[in-house]
Amino acid sequence: MAQYAPTLNPPKTLIPKLPNPNPSFSSISTFRTPKPKSKNFSTISMSVTAGQNQQQHQKPPSLDVLINSARKEEVIGAIKNSSSHCLSETNLHLTVPGLKSKTRGKVRDVYDSGDYLVMVTTDRQSAFDRILASIPFKGQVLNETSLWWFDKTQHITSNAVVSAPDENVTIAKKCSVFPVEFVVRGFVTGSTDTSLWTVYNNGVRNYCGNALPDGLAKSQKLPANILTPTTKAADHDVPVTPDEIVERGLMTQAEYDEVSRKALSLFEYGQRVALEHGLILVDTKYEFGKGQDGSILLIDEVHTPDSSRYWIAHTYEERFKNGLEPENVDKEFLRLWFKDHCNPYEDEVLPDAPEELVRELSWRYIFLYETITKSEFKLPSTEEPIHDRISRNVARALSSLT
């Protein structure tokens, strides 16, 4: 039985222009895209009206809160104090009895406990198939965001979660993992070499088995959500069609049909929940595996700012009509900064991300968690070293599972 191992996130994939106190980078992105040439194609009516109709008492996420608020000041202060305490590396196999091996992914360290897998989400930040920085609290945000979505999506699919003994840790069932990542997209966007906008702008009109119409503009809503699966090469993701997945023996037709149906349902549900909270879930990726009983399980992460793009909903239409980038609450602005300052695919050594950029990204991840879950992110104590805390909590959890 193949074991679950973390895989690279596929390329995934701000606010009004304000005076920038640090001209070396733009923490609030105001990048422009060409204005749509025609208004005949479909646009999206995704203001937060739909969410407001259901929840009149809720206001859409405020850009003022994202840019400047008492909560941001509180969180930024904690981020500054924690910058030297990021969880960039773990070695639980040396500190927790019973852990047999370690698999180091881009973001997650996965340990084999025999019956289960212990997945530790670190603060490492990846993009362009590389580690770019360590972001304070990022691992906790990703782990707790995924756990929230795992719980909310059980009506769509079962998942591999067994328990969460620590803010950064999920203990999961072992699975035979499908070597395919199910990327679901609702918009034509992205800045990486394999993003939908990049390939579309280069003239591709059939992508992963999806026929794309002419005349689409960057950031435009697609006529319908699409699946663009990828499979792994040596160190990057390769687009693949449904027919190729089956022909290569990566999945049976029945397995692909079930997983693709679940992936689209998860995305539609995620879009609906996000919109109710004033956000647009733009695209994301899912991974699935087979449990020991043969059932298909959702694994890895769900709708995190690492695996997904999120835009502010109530400003989307106006900005799109004016040829402006949507206001995003994910890591896209970090990718754009690196593309502006280096060639992240070819340069052997990359510049260090500015501290202001790192802090801004950490805040955005926390802002997204609090906006989606409607709960306050619990800032961890710095009294106990995080690796000691994780070791203690994992050891206790594993002893209770045996």
Side-chain angles (χ1 to χ4, degrees):
M1 178 73 68
Q3 297 179 4
Y4 168 77
T7 55
L8 307 183
N9 289 329
K12 300 296 180 296
T13 153
L14 282 171
I15 33 204
K17 189 171 184 179
L18 299 174
N20 189 356
N22 186 345
S24 62
F25 71 93
S26 174
S27 63
I28 305 299
S29 176
T30 55
F31 299 98
R32 286 183 174 270
T33 57
K35 291 186 179 182
K37 296 180 180 180
S38 169
K39 295 184 179 179
N40 293 328
F41 45 72
S42 64
T43 58
I44 181 172
S45 179
M46 287 190 80
S47 68
V48 290
T49 305
Q52 289 174 333
N53 288 342
Q54 297 177 22
Q55 301 177 358
Q56 287 288 341
H57 64 286
Q58 288 190 6
K59 296 174 66 176
S62 168
L63 296 180
D64 291 336
V65 174
L66 183 57
I67 300 168
N68 188 18
S69 66
R71 177 58 175 163
K72 180 175 182 178
E73 290 181 8
E74 175 189 6
V75 172
I76 288 292
I79 291 168
K80 289 180 180 178
N81 294 332
S82 299
S83 296
S84 61
H85 303 288
C86 286
L87 184 65
S88 300
E89 197 67 49
T90 68
N91 291 289
L92 298 189
H93 56 303
L94 303 179
T95 60
V96 177
L99 293 184
K100 301 176 180 179
S101 63
K102 171 186 175 181
T103 302
R104 187 181 190 273
K106 288 290 184 180
V107 175
R108 289 170 182 79
D109 293 341
V110 180
Y111 297 88
D112 185 352
S113 73
D115 294 328
Y116 304 99
L117 295 177
V118 177
M119 301 187 295
V120 185
T121 309
T122 72
D123 295 330
R124 297 191 294 263
Q125 181 67 57
S126 70
F128 309 106
D129 294 324
R130 305 176 70 162
I131 303 299
L132 301 181
S134 290
I135 310 297
F137 310 138
K138 179 200 164 184
Q140 179 179 338
V141 171
L142 295 189
N143 192 56
E144 294 186 343
T145 300
S146 282
L147 289 169
W148 190 88
W149 281 108
F150 276 128
D151 179 64
K152 298 297 182 182
T153 57
Q154 292 184 76
H155 64 288
I156 298 173
T157 180
S158 301
N159 59 65
V161 175
V162 174
S163 66
D166 184 271
E167 293 94 323
N168 289 69
V169 179
T170 295
I171 296 179
K173 301 173 185 177
K174 285 186 173 181
C175 304
S176 177
V177 179
F178 296 119
V180 177
E181 293 186 344
F182 283 75
V183 184
V184 189
R185 305 179 188 271
F187 295 76
V188 186
T189 191
S191 60
T192 62
D193 284 353
T194 54
S195 71
L196 186 56
W197 169 245
T198 300
V199 297
Y200 184 86
N201 198 38
N202 288 335
V204 174
R205 293 297 181 269
N206 194 302
Y207 191 55
C208 299
N210 299 285
L212 302 172
D214 290 328
L216 297 177
K218 188 180 183 184
S219 303
Q220 184 179 349
K221 179 174 169 56
L222 291 163
N225 295 332
I226 63 172
L227 273 171
T228 59
T230 62
T231 187
K232 309 303 288 184
D235 59 356
H236 61 282
D237 302 302
V238 178
V240 63
T241 68
D243 288 344
E244 289 171 334
I245 290 173
V246 176
E247 290 168 1
R248 296 180 190 178
L250 304 177
M251 303 176 74
T252 67
Q253 187 65 58
E255 289 168 342
Y256 176 82
D257 290 344
E258 180 177 348
V259 170
S260 61
R261 183 172 61 251
K262 288 183 174 182
L264 287 168
S265 295
L266 286 166
F267 189 65
E268 290 166 3
Y269 176 75
Q271 284 186 312
R272 186 164 66 250
V273 172
L275 188 58
E276 289 172 357
H277 296 167
L279 298 171
I280 298 173
L281 177 60
V282 178
D283 52 35
T284 194
K285 66 96 181 174
Y286 305 105
E287 295 186 48
F288 293 85
K290 266 195 170 182
Q292 294 182 355
D293 61 356
S295 61
I296 289 179
L297 303 174
L298 179 63
I299 61 174
D300 195 54
E301 61 183 323
V302 188
H303 300 162
T304 72
D306 254 20
S307 66
S308 315
R309 281 193 185 87
Y310 284 94
W311 293 340
I312 300 292
H314 70 283
T315 61
Y316 164 76
E317 284 193 55
E318 185 65 28
R319 294 182 70 87
F320 175 71
K321 290 176 183 177
N322 291 324
L324 297 174
E325 286 283 341
E327 296 165 331
N328 68 66
V329 198
D330 50 54
K331 66 179 181 180
E332 180 68 7
F333 79 109
L334 180 71
R335 283 192 289 247
L336 292 171
W337 185 90
F338 274 93
K339 290 198 74 174
D340 284 345
H341 290 80
C342 63
N343 185 332
Y345 289 106
E346 298 181 6
D347 291 354
E348 184 175 344
V349 178
L350 302 184
D352 291 334
E355 291 183 8
E356 293 91 343
L357 194 75
V358 169
R359 289 196 288 266
E360 178 68 22
L361 184 59
S362 179
W363 159 242
R364 285 169 185 271
Y365 274 35
I366 292 172
F367 174 86
L368 180 63
Y369 169 82
E370 295 187 339
T371 300
I372 287 290
T373 67
K374 296 300 179 186
S375 59
E376 185 172 293
F377 179 76
K378 182 181 178 182
L379 296 167
S381 169
T382 57
E383 294 181 2
E384 181 181 18
I386 187 170
H387 198 281
D388 292 352
R389 186 200 76 204
I390 291 174
S391 297
R392 172 172 50 80
N393 288 335
V394 169
R396 181 187 300 130
L398 291 178
S399 65
S400 68
L401 290 172
T402 56

